[in-house]
Amino acid sequence: MLNLCLPTDMTDSNKMIINLALFGMTQSGKSSAGNILLGSTDFHSSFSPCSVTKDCCLGRSCHLCGFMRRGGQEITLQIQVLDTPGYPHSRLKQEHVKQEVKEALAHHFGQEGLHLALLVQRADVPLCGQEASSSVQMIQELLGHAWKNYTAILFTHAEKIEEAGFSEDKYLHEASDTLLTLLNSIQHRYIFQYKKGNSLNEQRIKILERIMEFIKENCYQVLTFK
């Protein structure tokens, strides 16, 4: 169980702020995933035949005491998540979305930097074709040449692959060439998000622990934007 604490309970030396950005196609589950990461309902999320998110929005979690240890000290974690419009978008032009996200990255993470970009992909929808690769191309353009070191895939609706009789390994073994190529590029950084059988808090802990593994592998380095 995650323990919440007030800012007065800590000093700067034992506090860590993790900055994340969500990318992905319309109805991939970005906003819902963001809410799980934050442990809140900051982002509007609903089923719709069209794109729901139209603007970038930054959400902040409560302080999570004793989430991890670093240098012999317990670290209090705070998560900041940037939710972005679906790309391609059902109503907004691609250039508009790209410019909106570019400005939001610079505004929110310009100095503090971005720890990880999460490409949100439905596990029950194959990643293939030009439309599916549009989000990847946007990440490449906005994050620059180092994008491969700061990107991971978050598979939503992972319970669907269990219902179909697939293990995670079998699912990835039989995945499209497009997905396998992408996973190779980003050093196989991926997370499966399940809804069935787990409480939201359990999902959150597992996903955050996995994210922190990736960030630690990067030696806590960040991407900055101007």
Side-chain angles (χ1 to χ4, degrees):
M1 182 176 178
L2 294 176
N3 296 316
L4 306 183
C5 61
L6 299 175
T8 52
D9 296 334
M10 63 195 143
T11 63
D12 288 341
S13 63
N14 63 3
K15 175 185 174 183
M16 183 181 295
I17 298 175
I18 297 300
N19 295 326
L20 309 171
L22 303 173
F23 297 87
M25 292 191 296
T26 289
Q27 289 294 304
S28 60
K30 294 187 306 300
S31 299
S32 177
N35 286 333
I36 290 175
L37 290 167
L38 295 173
S40 69
T41 55
D42 284 28
F43 305 133
H44 175 62
S45 174
S46 64
F47 174 79
S48 173
C50 60
S51 301
V52 175
T53 304
K54 297 180 180 137
D55 303 292
C56 291
C57 180
L58 185 74
R60 294 181 177 89
S61 74
C62 294
H63 294 89
L64 310 176
C65 291
F67 184 84
M68 57 180 285
R69 296 187 67 86
R70 187 182 180 194
Q73 284 189 323
E74 282 196 348
I75 300 297
T76 293
L77 204 64
Q78 184 178 34
I79 309 298
Q80 295 193 140
V81 179
L82 181 67
D83 191 20
T84 67
Y87 190 86
H89 200 277
S90 64
R91 291 175 179 161
L92 303 175
K93 293 182 178 179
Q94 292 192 14
E95 284 306 314
H96 173 85
V97 173
K98 196 182 298 182
Q99 185 62 30
E100 165 96 4
V101 178
K102 181 178 181 181
E103 291 175 2
L105 287 170
H107 177 70
H108 295 296
F109 304 143
Q111 293 184 332
E112 293 181 5
L114 176 71
H115 289 90
L116 195 67
L118 292 171
L119 174 61
V120 182
Q121 167 68 24
R122 287 185 64 118
D124 58 342
V125 177
L127 183 69
C128 54
Q130 182 60 37
E131 186 179 75
S133 63
S134 295
S135 295
V136 179
Q137 292 173 2
M138 182 169 73
I139 290 174
Q140 292 173 345
E141 290 182 34
L142 295 179
L143 270 57
H145 68 276
W147 74 274
K148 296 178 181 179
N149 298 324
Y150 294 92
T151 302
I153 299 177
L154 177 60
F155 291 106
T156 57
H157 300 273
E159 67 278 359
K160 298 291 187 182
I161 68 173
E162 278 192 338
E163 293 170 6
F166 286 87
S167 65
E168 293 180 6
D169 288 341
K170 184 179 179 184
Y171 172 85
L172 293 174
H173 181 73
E174 298 188 14
S176 67
D177 289 342
T178 303
L179 177 55
L180 293 175
T181 300
L182 176 59
L183 284 170
N184 284 331
S185 296
I186 61 174
Q187 301 157 50
H188 290 268
R189 285 189 294 269
Y190 62 85
I191 306 164
F192 283 93
Q193 175 186 302
Y194 295 87
K195 285 189 177 178
K196 186 177 179 181
N198 288 323
S199 71
L200 288 177
N201 198 49
E202 288 174 337
Q203 290 179 55
R204 186 186 186 201
I205 293 171
K206 289 180 180 178
I207 294 171
L208 288 178
E209 285 176 345
R210 187 85 164 137
I211 286 172
M212 291 309 300
E213 287 177 14
F214 300 148
I215 292 173
K216 187 176 179 181
E217 288 171 3
N218 271 351
C219 300
Y220 302 96
Q221 295 180 88
V222 295
L223 274 177
T224 55
F225 305 90
K226 296 181 180 179

